[in-house]
Amino acid sequence: MDFEIAARRLEKDQQSALARARASRNARTTSAKAKREAAAARAKAEKRLEEKKLAEGRNERVVDRIVRSMNVVERKLGVVSVGDVDITTTDAHVESKPATAMDTTTTMFKQNPLASGWQLSATSIHGEGDKIALPPSILESLTSGSTSGLDPWGSSGSGRPLAFRIGLLNPAYGGFPSSDKMVALVEKVREDVIASESAALDEQQQTTQNDADEMDASDDEEETSQLHREAYLDELSHRYLSYTHGTVVEFTQEDGCVGLPEPIAQVLLNPNAYSLVGAAKDRRKTDIPTTRTVDPAASVASAAIDTGVDKDDTDTVNMEVDPPSAVEQMIDDSEKTPGHPAYGLFDIPATSIEITPINALPPGKDCTFTPTSSSIRNGFYALKDVKFVLEQSLMRTRATLSRGDVIRTWRRGVSFDLIVSKVSPHSQLDYGVVSCINTNLNVDIGPPEGEEGDDQKPTSDESKQDVANDTTNQFGQGRLLSEPSAQPVQSTTSQSSTNASLKEIELPPEPAEGVTTGICTIQIRGRGSSNAARRRFDITTATMSDLFAFASHSCGEGVGDVSTFRLVTRFPRRIFRLTSLETAGEGCYDANATLESVGVSEGQELFMVELL
């Protein structure tokens, strides 16, 4: 009995000892495995950290190369940055969606490497060209601030005034880079950096400094390449809904505002097929919000009338407030001072405008103008001297030419709109914009868009000969505006005209130069024309018929029979029409009435032609 108990106890002790031995072995095995796993985890973590550092260093080198290349591109153009703009990812990029290559590339850049400008609100000003109005604070910044040394008037250096890029900011711009060409450039630079790292590892004798030197040498070869310029311009076409260039007329705007003339506002609101934004315009079906400025004085007068203020309590009620259409008729376009407010006359963008200074705009060498359909209908191809038209309208109102700009020229009261379809600078750096100051510009008149203009081109043998003699009208060939005109400029008193309906007239002889008594120097100006026909009349003998015949002859290309227009004066406004069976009443006079009898006094008088 005692033996069995002792045997069972011994067996139990042996099992316990065996279990302890097995547990000890398992513990030692688990400990070794844990150590191996821990070592493997540490190795993986160190590898991930090393890869992260390597990726960060690689991204830093990629960003550095892109930033330096963009700086070189902008330095060639003379773009000056006047502020820092963070481009952290917008809400459109943080939506729950699969990450794309562009999203990954965008997160590399914490700040936009492109130069930033002043963000201002648009107002409307008078002006026929590309001259904007800016606040005095910007003038102070240009002359004494961080950007001091920039000359707004071009009184030093090349003699060209400081230009500005005028861009309508795209609210959907997601950050740099957003364009396909810029993303492709970033990927190409990344591949170059990876290739340089692999080469350094293979040689194992390349130091970090030598690697950086090689990258710098590679950058120097690529920074001014066509690839970088194209990527830069493609990125601008995504950053802006539209943009153009111009100069400044005066620094009189309120802080935070920029005055835009109608040509600039229209280019920003209605980019065409030749515009600088290119194909991006077609990809973005964005409706640009517009607004019109309101004259504060008119608003106060209207408010006083609406609230029923007593006449004795305010002088504003006693004022006659004309509707905008009447005001426009009373103000001749040529008398509108460039830079002054143009309240409510045309639409302007309701979104922010970015103004970026450019101090090295390349001088223009060649440009091509494409006539619009309205210009063809107005008889553009019938003009005998396109050079004169461009000199009178273009060279006096424009300091820059950007691709896609619409140039409005005038000839005897008739407007001709020309699209800038191509520009080429003297240098090889084509940014789609040139300066037309202090340069000889070779001008081509390109073929019209569509088939509408083909039917209205000169078809007779005589017209073909005239076009052949005048290289300005010949397609595909240019002529310098500084060259002598191929045909003499037609005088306003010439006895011949390109308008077949215009007949020769007989006017009484002009008074002698020394005679002043009873003599009035009369100027006739067509609507929107900056040129006025001038002639001296004896008001005691000259009749209304003579006056209207002179007006019809002077503005023959836009004015027909004397019954189709009237003559008006300004301040005070007076209307003159010839009496007929259909017209009677105020402002109608007999054709045989003398000028003196209808109120024309000696001295000088300006008459404007208004079509009926």
Side-chain angles (χ1 to χ4, degrees):
M1 190 67 173
D2 294 337
F3 176 78
E4 291 178 357
I5 293 173
R8 287 196 297 269
R9 183 178 300 171
L10 177 62
E11 182 180 2
K12 185 177 180 179
D13 292 340
Q14 289 177 348
Q15 292 177 352
S16 298
L18 182 63
R20 286 195 297 271
R22 187 181 298 111
S24 178
R25 287 197 302 272
N26 291 340
R28 288 194 297 272
T29 302
T30 302
S31 178
K33 183 179 180 180
K35 290 180 180 180
R36 289 195 299 271
E37 291 178 350
R42 285 195 300 269
K44 289 181 179 180
E46 292 175 355
K47 185 178 180 180
R48 285 196 300 268
L49 181 60
E50 183 179 355
E51 290 177 350
K52 182 179 179 180
K53 291 182 178 180
L54 181 62
E56 290 177 352
R58 181 183 300 137
N59 289 342
E60 289 178 358
R61 288 191 289 274
V62 171
V63 170
D64 180 65
R65 293 181 63 176
I66 292 296
V67 169
R68 285 190 286 120
S69 66
M70 293 299 102
N71 289 342
V72 170
V73 171
E74 291 190 325
R75 187 166 62 247
K76 296 291 184 180
L77 184 59
V79 180
V80 180
S81 181
V82 293
D84 295 328
V85 180
D86 289 335
I87 60 155
T88 52
T89 306
T90 61
D91 294 340
H93 275 269
V94 297
E95 294 177 357
S96 177
K97 61 180 181 180
T100 63
M102 182 176 292
D103 295 332
T104 305
T105 304
T106 303
T107 57
M108 293 169 49
F109 296 87
K110 303 304 181 183
Q111 202 172 38
N112 198 325
L114 305 186
S116 59
W118 298 286
Q119 294 190 21
L120 307 173
S121 299
T123 63
S124 54
I125 62 172
H126 291 302
E128 287 291 334
D130 61 348
K131 295 175 175 56
I132 62 176
L134 295 172
S137 58
I138 291 184
L139 175 61
E140 182 180 358
S141 175
L142 292 175
T143 55
S144 60
S146 59
T147 57
S148 61
L150 298 179
D151 182 10
W153 318 116
S155 56
S156 60
S158 63
R160 299 185 182 91
L162 181 66
F164 297 89
R165 183 167 62 214
I166 309 163
L168 183 60
L169 289 171
N170 180 13
Y173 181 62
F176 183 92
S178 291
S179 67
D180 294 338
K181 291 185 178 180
M182 186 61 73
V183 171
L185 177 62
V186 173
E187 292 302 318
K188 181 180 181 303
V189 171
R190 186 198 303 275
E191 292 174 359
D192 293 342
V193 170
I194 294 175
S196 64
E197 291 175 353
S198 300
L201 291 175
D202 292 340
E203 295 178 3
Q204 293 185 355
Q205 293 180 350
Q206 191 79 13
T207 62
T208 304
Q209 183 60 41
N210 289 339
D211 181 64
D213 292 342
E214 285 191 358
M215 287 193 295
D216 291 341
S218 177
D219 285 347
D220 293 339
E221 296 175 357
E222 297 179 359
E223 280 170 345
T224 57
S225 68
Q226 182 70 16
L227 178 63
H228 286 201
R229 267 198 321 277
E230 290 179 354
Y232 173 77
L233 296 176
D234 195 30
E235 187 68 19
L236 288 183
S237 71
H238 285 70
R239 180 174 179 175
Y240 302 113
L241 293 176
S242 58
Y243 71 99
T244 183
H245 301 80
T247 54
V248 64
V249 62
E250 59 186 15
F251 293 89
T252 56
Q253 286 289 308
E254 296 181 1
D255 284 341
C257 295
V258 54
L260 303 180
E262 185 175 9
I264 296 294
Q266 291 303 316
V267 168
L268 295 178
L269 292 176
N270 303 297
N272 51 56
Y274 301 101
S275 63
L276 293 171
V277 294
K281 165 186 168 291
D282 300 328
R283 294 195 300 267
R284 294 191 305 266
K285 304 299 183 181
T286 304
D287 292 330
I288 302 175
T290 62
T291 185
R292 290 202 177 195
T293 54
V294 179
D295 187 353
S299 301
V300 172
S302 300
I305 295 174
D306 293 339
T307 54
V309 180
D310 189 85
K311 294 183 179 180
D312 298 332
D313 295 337
T314 177
D315 295 334
T316 307
V317 180
N318 297 328
M319 298 172 57
E320 294 184 1
V321 181
D322 294 327
S325 58
V327 174
E328 288 189 57
Q329 293 179 358
M330 294 177 60
I331 301 177
D332 183 43
D333 288 343
S334 62
E335 300 296 331
K336 297 174 182 177
T337 304
H340 286 200
Y343 295 115
L345 295 186
F346 52 87
D347 290 337
I348 55 176
T351 57
S352 295
I353 305 294
E354 185 177 62
I355 305 297
T356 309
I358 301 176
N359 62 4
L361 210 60
K365 179 182 180 183
D366 303 290
C367 69
T368 301
F369 293 150
T370 297
T372 61
S373 58
S374 62
S375 298
I376 298 172
R377 288 193 298 268
N378 290 342
F380 177 78
Y381 291 112
L383 293 175
K384 294 296 184 180
D385 198 346
V386 177
K387 170 181 175 290
F388 177 75
V389 174
L390 293 178
E391 284 179 342
Q392 294 299 312
S393 300
L394 168 64
M395 299 179 66
R396 296 193 305 177
T397 60
R398 306 286 303 196
T400 66
L401 287 177
S402 301
R403 197 172 63 248
D405 284 353
V406 178
I407 309 300
R408 173 159 294 179
T409 60
W410 294 90
R411 177 63 170 167
R412 292 185 175 177
V414 182
S415 65
F416 303 96
D417 289 344
L418 305 175
I419 302 175
V420 182
S421 54
K422 182 180 179 181
V423 292
S424 300
H426 278 278
S427 64
Q428 299 298 320
L429 303 178
D430 185 7
Y431 292 92
V433 57
V434 297
S435 172
C436 49
I437 302 296
N438 294 338
T439 183
N440 289 328
L441 196 59
N442 192 32
V443 177
D444 266 352
I445 302 300
E449 293 181 300
E451 299 179 357
E452 182 177 1
D454 298 338
D455 297 334
Q456 303 189 37
K457 295 179 184 178
T459 56
S460 66
D461 294 339
E462 181 179 356
S463 298
K464 291 179 180 178
Q465 183 64 31
D466 290 339
V467 173
N469 291 336
D470 189 350
T471 57
T472 307
N473 285 338
Q474 188 172 356
F475 298 136
Q477 296 184 9
R479 180 155 58 84
L480 295 177
L481 292 182
S482 58
E483 294 178 4
S485 174
Q487 299 189 21
V489 177
Q490 294 178 337
S491 171
T492 56
T493 59
S494 173
Q495 297 299 321
S496 61
S497 172
T498 57
N499 191 338
S501 64
L502 191 61
K503 300 179 180 179
E504 294 186 359
I505 60 172
E506 293 184 3
L507 295 176
E510 287 194 63
E513 288 295 335
V515 179
T516 57
T517 303
I519 306 302
C520 180
T521 300
I522 292 180
Q523 298 182 57
I524 303 294
R525 181 170 294 166
R527 180 69 175 171
S529 174
S530 59
N531 299 322
R534 186 189 303 265
R535 195 183 191 278
R536 301 172 73 243
F537 286 88
D538 186 340
I539 60 176
T540 61
T541 59
T543 64
M544 289 291 291
S545 177
D546 297 331
L547 176 61
F548 272 76
F550 175 59
S552 177
H553 180 76
S554 302
C555 301
E557 293 185 10
V559 176
D561 187 76
V562 294
S563 62
T564 63
F565 69 94
R566 65 185 180 184
L567 299 177
V568 298
T569 61
R570 298 179 59 232
F571 306 122
R573 177 178 171 85
R574 292 179 296 165
I575 301 175
F576 296 87
R577 295 183 63 183
L578 292 184
T579 303
S580 65
L581 295 177
E582 294 80 9
T583 60
E586 182 181 1
C588 296
Y589 300 96
D590 185 77
N592 295 322
T594 63
L595 299 183
E596 184 179 30
S597 66
V598 300
V600 179
S601 57
E602 62 182 42
Q604 295 184 356
E605 193 71 70
L606 172 65
F607 290 91
M608 294 169 291
V609 176
E610 289 187 356
L611 299 180
L612 299 178

